[in-house]
């Protein structure tokens, strides 16, 4: 039987629901020796900012039980270089590219988005990072406040007709409320979750293991938080949700889809195995064949919840 | 520098033994990685745990290449290296490599190789390559005591061991021996890989006397392929410009792990 793995977000159709997450796959071409990126549902780029950024001082990462904490600090080449160096490469990359944008004010985000709009490049949409825990200014300001989230989304919506995705933080009291605010502002879809606050300390030196003391926790240890967040968001709003957090296998993808995700992003696992998302895509086809699922959309939100 | 291709390969463990107290040597087959002709200084990123309890690979410098076989020498100091030390012959080992750059020019110099603890692999391999090529050089290896050494102290053969407790070779750190050799030889050039205090001491010394020196830098890595941006080291030419990328911080995985001592600062 032929399985239809395609999914839609806004007006964009993706060949399959498995993307790679922002900050875990560079600009999309670093792993060309190891993986055929054209097989991916989409590539979400590193966060792009108005100006280039060096990022935070080392140490920036540490392994934790079934996870890791990072504090990279949005190191990136800046929007001008991104347009010059990367946008031409995306013409022939063979899959959709979603540019992740970060900023510290509405004007910052608008600046990046407007430049990308006028570049006319092959970018199918934008994922807005309102939830990076690792920068000093504007720390989580947008993602924890429904009003700011709504205003930012509205401003960006008026500047583009392309797919507009807001990436939400789990470090809030009610993620459903923030999700609703983003949808009111005009978001086409929502990504959840970004990293959780995390900290680890070396008992021998009494020093935190990363330079900013607290960083962003990711990896399999946060998967249940991601799944619960997707479940809550999909109950709160009617736009598609992209599930992120600790995906390492096809089973994890199925969990996210059942919880209400229309697509997923593989993150931390890319650091261990740059080809893991493409293997999961193959496994997803096999899973559907073995379970008589003709179209992947049939799984979305089909969790049989307790009353 | 020749740009080499990264290969993901499952090797087979052929030997894994404790060669000195807490120091292991593991040899495994890795035909495709060997075909890329790695050179001393380059490293592998090894997945130590099939489960996801330890999600990150461990970067390990290559200690030898023989036909289709690779070796690493590693010191057990954490959970990852503990797991690695329990690998048995015949086990499959999940490798990524060869990664990073390698040691550079020795022509017109007397190479002095300095290693210790976690940083023995590239030094031991470079020693072997220089021997094979008939390049006269010195090697200085430091440890806490005789138990941690697997070479023999043999100054006539240009092999110098040092121990913190004086149980073999010179008593003390590697530095007095290194300084003495630098006074004696023509055009010394230092190549060093070891624990942070050793690297800092070498770095201070060469900067003071303006000796050429290549350091193999150790860093915590997320991916070793440039994706995660986690393994940075500060450049000495730090201009502290307000808006820049890759000018203040260098990626140890793809720019390094070998740096000219003058290029970097240890914080």
């Amino acid at each position: 039987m032929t399985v239809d793995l395609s999914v839609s977000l806004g007006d964009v159709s993706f060949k399959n629901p498995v993307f790679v997450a922002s900050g875990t796959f560079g600009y999309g071409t670093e792993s060309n020796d190891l993986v055929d990126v054209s097989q991916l549902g989409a590539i979400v780029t590193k966060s792009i900012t108005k100006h280039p950024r060096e990022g935070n001082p080392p140490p920036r990462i540490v392994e934790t039980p079934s996870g890791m904490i990072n504090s990279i600090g949005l190191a990136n080449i800046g929007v001008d270089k991104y347009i010059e160096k990367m946008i031409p490469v995306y013409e022939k990359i063979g899959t959709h590219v979603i540019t992740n944008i970060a900023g510290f004010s509405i004007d910052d985000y608008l600046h990046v988005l407007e430049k990308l709009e006028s570049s006319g490049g092959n970018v199918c949409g934008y994922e807005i990072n309102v939830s990076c825990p690792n920068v000093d200014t504007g720390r989580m300001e947008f993602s924890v406040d429904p009003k700011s989230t709504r205003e930012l989304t509205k401003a960006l919506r008026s500047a583009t007709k392309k797919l507009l995705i807001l990436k939400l933080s789990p470090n809030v009291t009610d993620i459903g409320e923030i999700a609703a605010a983003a949808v009111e502002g005009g978001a086409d879809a929502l990504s959840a979750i970004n990293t959780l606050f995390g900290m680890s300390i070396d008992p021998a030196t009494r020093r935190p293991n990363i330079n900013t003391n607290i960083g962003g926790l990711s990896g399999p240890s946060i998967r249940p938080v991601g799944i619960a967040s997707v479940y809550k968001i999909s109950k709160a709003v009617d736009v598609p949700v992209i599930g992120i957090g600790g995906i390492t296998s096809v089973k994890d993808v199925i969990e996210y889809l059942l919880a209400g995700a229309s697509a997923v992003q593989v993150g931390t696992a890319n650091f261990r195995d740059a080809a893991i998302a493409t293997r999961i895509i193959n496994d997803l086809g096999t899973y559907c064949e073995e379970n008589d699922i003709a179209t992947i959309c049939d799984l979305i939100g089909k969790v049989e919840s307790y009353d | 520098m020749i740009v080499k291709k990264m290969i993901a390969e499952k090797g087979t463990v052929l030997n894994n033994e404790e060669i000195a107290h807490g120091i292991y040597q593991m040899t495994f087959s890795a035909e495709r990685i060997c075909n890329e002709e790695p050179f001393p200084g380059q490293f592998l990123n090894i997945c130590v745990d099939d489960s996801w309890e330890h999600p990150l690979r461990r970067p390990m410098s290559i200690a030898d290449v023989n036909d289709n076989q690779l070796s690493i020498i590693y010191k057990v100091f954490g959970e990852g290296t503990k797991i690695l030390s329990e690998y048995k012959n015949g086990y499959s080992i999940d490798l990524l490599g060869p990664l990073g750059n390698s040691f550079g020019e020795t022509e017109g110099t007397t190479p002095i190789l300095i290693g210790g603890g976690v940083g023995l692999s590239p030094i031991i391999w470079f020693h072997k390559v220089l021997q094979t090529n008939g390049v006269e050089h010195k090697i200085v290896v430091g440890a806490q005591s005789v138990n941690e050494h697997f070479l023999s102290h043999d100054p006539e053969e240009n092999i110098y061991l040092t121990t913190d407790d004086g149980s073999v070779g010179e008593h003390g750190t590697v530095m007095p021996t290194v300084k003495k050799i630098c006074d004696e030889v023509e055009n010394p050039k230092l190549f060093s890989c070891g624990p942070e205090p050793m690297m800092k001491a070498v770095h201070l010394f060469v900067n003071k006397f303006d000796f050429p020196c290549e350091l193999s830098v150790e860093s915590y890595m997320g991916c070793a392929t440039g994706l995660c941006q986690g393994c940075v080291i500060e450049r000495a030419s730090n201009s502290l410009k307000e808006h820049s990328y890759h000018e203040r911080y260098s990626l140890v995985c793809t720019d390094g792990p070998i740096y000219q001592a003058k290029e970097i600062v240890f914080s």
Side-chain angles (χ1 to χ4, degrees):
Chain A
M1 97 188 220
T2 341
V3 180
D4 179 10
L5 290 182
S6 68
V7 294
S8 292
L9 303 174
D11 296 331
V12 185
S13 175
F14 296 83
K15 60 183 115 181
N16 67 65
V18 182
F19 306 173
V20 285
S22 180
T24 68
F25 212 73
Y27 301 97
T29 55
E30 289 87 340
S31 304
N32 282 350
D33 281 357
L34 304 171
V35 56
D36 173 10
V37 298
S38 71
Q39 292 178 29
L40 298 169
I43 295 166
V44 188
T45 68
K46 258 197 90 57
S47 287
I48 306 297
T49 52
K50 183 176 178 180
H51 299 294
R53 287 177 56 86
E54 286 289 348
N56 293 332
R60 291 179 173 184
I61 50 167
V62 66
E63 189 178 73
T64 55
S66 300
M68 65 180 282
I69 299 170
N70 87 79
S71 183
I72 307 300
L74 301 175
N76 80 98
I77 57 180
V79 66
D80 293 337
K81 199 140 248 175
Y82 176 71
I83 289 169
E84 182 196 327
K85 300 272 184 205
M86 295 317 305
I87 293 291
V89 174
Y90 297 153
E91 293 296 331
K92 289 180 182 167
I93 204 160
T95 188
H96 286 308
V97 175
I98 297 169
T99 302
N100 184 291
I101 302 174
F104 306 97
S105 66
I106 289 180
D107 282 350
D108 281 354
Y109 285 99
L110 262 179
H111 176 92
V112 176
L113 185 133
E114 282 169 351
K115 279 212 158 176
L116 287 163
E117 283 285 298
S118 58
S119 78
N122 182 31
V123 162
C124 81
Y126 309 100
E127 182 182 71
I128 309 304
N129 178 2
V130 286
S131 47
C132 177
N134 298 329
V135 284
D136 288 337
T137 26
R139 188 173 178 131
M140 293 248 172
E141 188 185 327
F142 291 106
S143 66
V144 298
D145 175 32
K147 189 165 165 275
S148 311
T149 302
R150 192 183 306 113
E151 279 173 13
L152 173 66
T153 315
K154 217 170 157 184
L156 297 170
R157 179 75 289 167
S158 66
T160 183
K161 291 191 166 56
K162 287 185 175 171
L163 177 63
L164 183 64
I165 305 163
L166 269 278
K167 184 169 180 178
L168 305 181
S169 169
N171 302 321
V172 294
T173 312
D174 182 358
I175 201 167
E177 189 188 6
I178 309 288
V183 173
E184 282 165 27
D188 296 310
L190 302 167
S191 294
I193 52 180
N194 206 324
T195 55
L196 288 147
F197 283 133
M199 184 173 188
S200 87
I201 301 169
D202 181 348
T205 60
R206 301 190 177 188
R207 282 285 214 177
N209 285 316
I210 55 167
N211 187 284
T212 50
N213 300 321
I214 291 173
L217 177 66
S218 66
S221 53
I222 73 163
R223 192 188 309 134
V225 183
I227 291 167
S229 300
V230 165
Y231 183 74
K232 282 188 199 168
I233 295 166
S234 65
K235 298 254 179 253
V237 297
D238 283 331
V239 301
V241 184
I242 306 169
I244 317 170
I247 293 171
T248 63
S249 72
V250 66
K251 177 193 152 289
D252 307 338
V253 174
I254 304 296
E255 273 196 77
Y256 270 102
L257 296 177
L258 291 171
S262 296
V264 296
Q265 295 176 13
V266 177
T268 300
N270 292 314
F271 295 152
R272 166 143 143 187
D273 179 359
I276 196 165
T278 56
R279 272 207 299 282
I280 291 173
I281 292 161
N282 286 332
D283 292 348
L284 193 57
T286 310
Y287 173 90
C288 289
E289 279 176 21
E290 286 173 0
N291 291 278
D292 287 327
I293 296 160
T295 162
I296 198 75
C297 294
D298 288 348
L299 285 171
I300 299 170
K302 293 296 164 59
V303 58
E304 296 184 11
S305 306
Y306 291 104
D307 294 332
Chain B
M1 194 185 74
I2 305 158
V3 178
K4 289 166 181 165
K5 196 179 170 191
M6 274 188 279
I7 305 282
E9 181 173 15
K10 294 265 168 69
T12 303
V13 176
L14 303 169
N15 192 39
N16 187 24
E17 61 178 329
E18 192 172 13
I19 55 172
H21 181 68
I23 295 174
Y24 287 71
Q25 179 157 24
M26 188 194 284
T27 304
F28 35 80
S29 64
E31 187 179 353
R32 291 173 55 226
I33 292 174
C34 289
N35 284 344
E36 295 299 315
E37 299 181 0
F39 195 77
Q42 290 201 288
F43 66 101
L44 305 169
N45 210 15
I46 302 178
C47 181
V48 295
D49 185 357
D50 281 344
S51 83
W52 285 85
E53 196 183 332
H54 299 91
L56 301 182
R57 289 170 179 265
R58 267 55 178 174
M60 298 265 171
S61 286
I62 302 169
D64 201 5
V65 175
N66 246 325
D67 295 329
N68 295 328
Q69 298 173 9
L70 289 171
S71 289
I72 53 169
I73 295 173
Y74 59 99
K75 184 168 180 169
V76 175
F77 67 99
E79 291 173 17
T81 43
K82 177 82 175 53
I83 295 170
L84 212 52
S85 72
E86 288 157 4
Y87 271 49
K88 305 264 187 291
N89 292 357
Y91 273 30
S92 171
I93 183 163
D94 183 346
L95 310 163
L96 184 65
L99 300 166
N101 62 358
S102 50
F103 285 130
E105 199 51 65
T106 57
E107 209 178 314
T109 72
T110 307
I112 303 168
L113 319 188
I114 309 153
V118 293
L120 285 166
S121 279
I123 294 300
I124 296 295
W125 187 21
F126 200 31
H127 168 58
K128 188 181 160 190
V129 167
L130 294 179
Q131 267 182 333
T132 307
N133 295 340
V135 178
E136 193 166 314
H137 66 282
K138 314 270 184 186
I139 176 167
V140 186
V141 179
Q144 286 178 342
S145 77
V146 64
N147 301 333
E148 295 172 4
H149 276 302
F150 55 88
L151 295 175
S152 301
H153 182 63
D154 192 352
E156 284 186 14
E157 288 295 317
N158 296 318
I159 299 169
Y160 302 80
L161 303 188
T162 72
T163 45
D164 296 347
D165 64 1
S167 51
V168 73
E170 308 290 336
H171 192 172
T173 73
V174 292
M175 288 319 295
T177 304
V178 170
K179 286 174 188 168
K180 197 163 157 261
I181 295 171
C182 286
D183 283 341
E184 291 167 3
V185 302
E186 294 284 317
N187 301 323
K189 178 173 179 181
L190 289 68
F191 298 85
S192 181
C193 185
E196 202 171 300
M198 176 191 280
M199 297 288 271
K200 280 183 173 170
V202 171
H203 192 246
L204 250 168
F205 171 70
V206 294
N207 283 350
K208 189 173 170 190
F209 293 99
D210 207 21
F211 288 129
C213 174
E214 297 185 12
L215 298 172
S216 174
V217 172
E218 189 83 19
S219 178
Y220 211 106
M221 290 186 188
C223 66
T225 60
L227 293 176
C228 79
Q229 307 268 312
C231 60
V232 291
I233 187 162
E234 193 164 352
R235 296 183 198 268
S237 60
N238 169 12
S239 56
L240 286 174
K241 272 164 57 181
E242 191 187 354
H243 299 305
S244 65
Y245 169 72
H246 205 229
E247 289 178 29
R248 180 174 183 188
Y249 294 120
S250 168
L251 287 177
V252 175
C253 67
T254 49
D255 301 331
I258 313 296
Y259 291 90
Q260 306 297 325
K262 282 182 183 159
E263 286 180 291
I264 51 167
V265 289
F266 282 107
S267 47

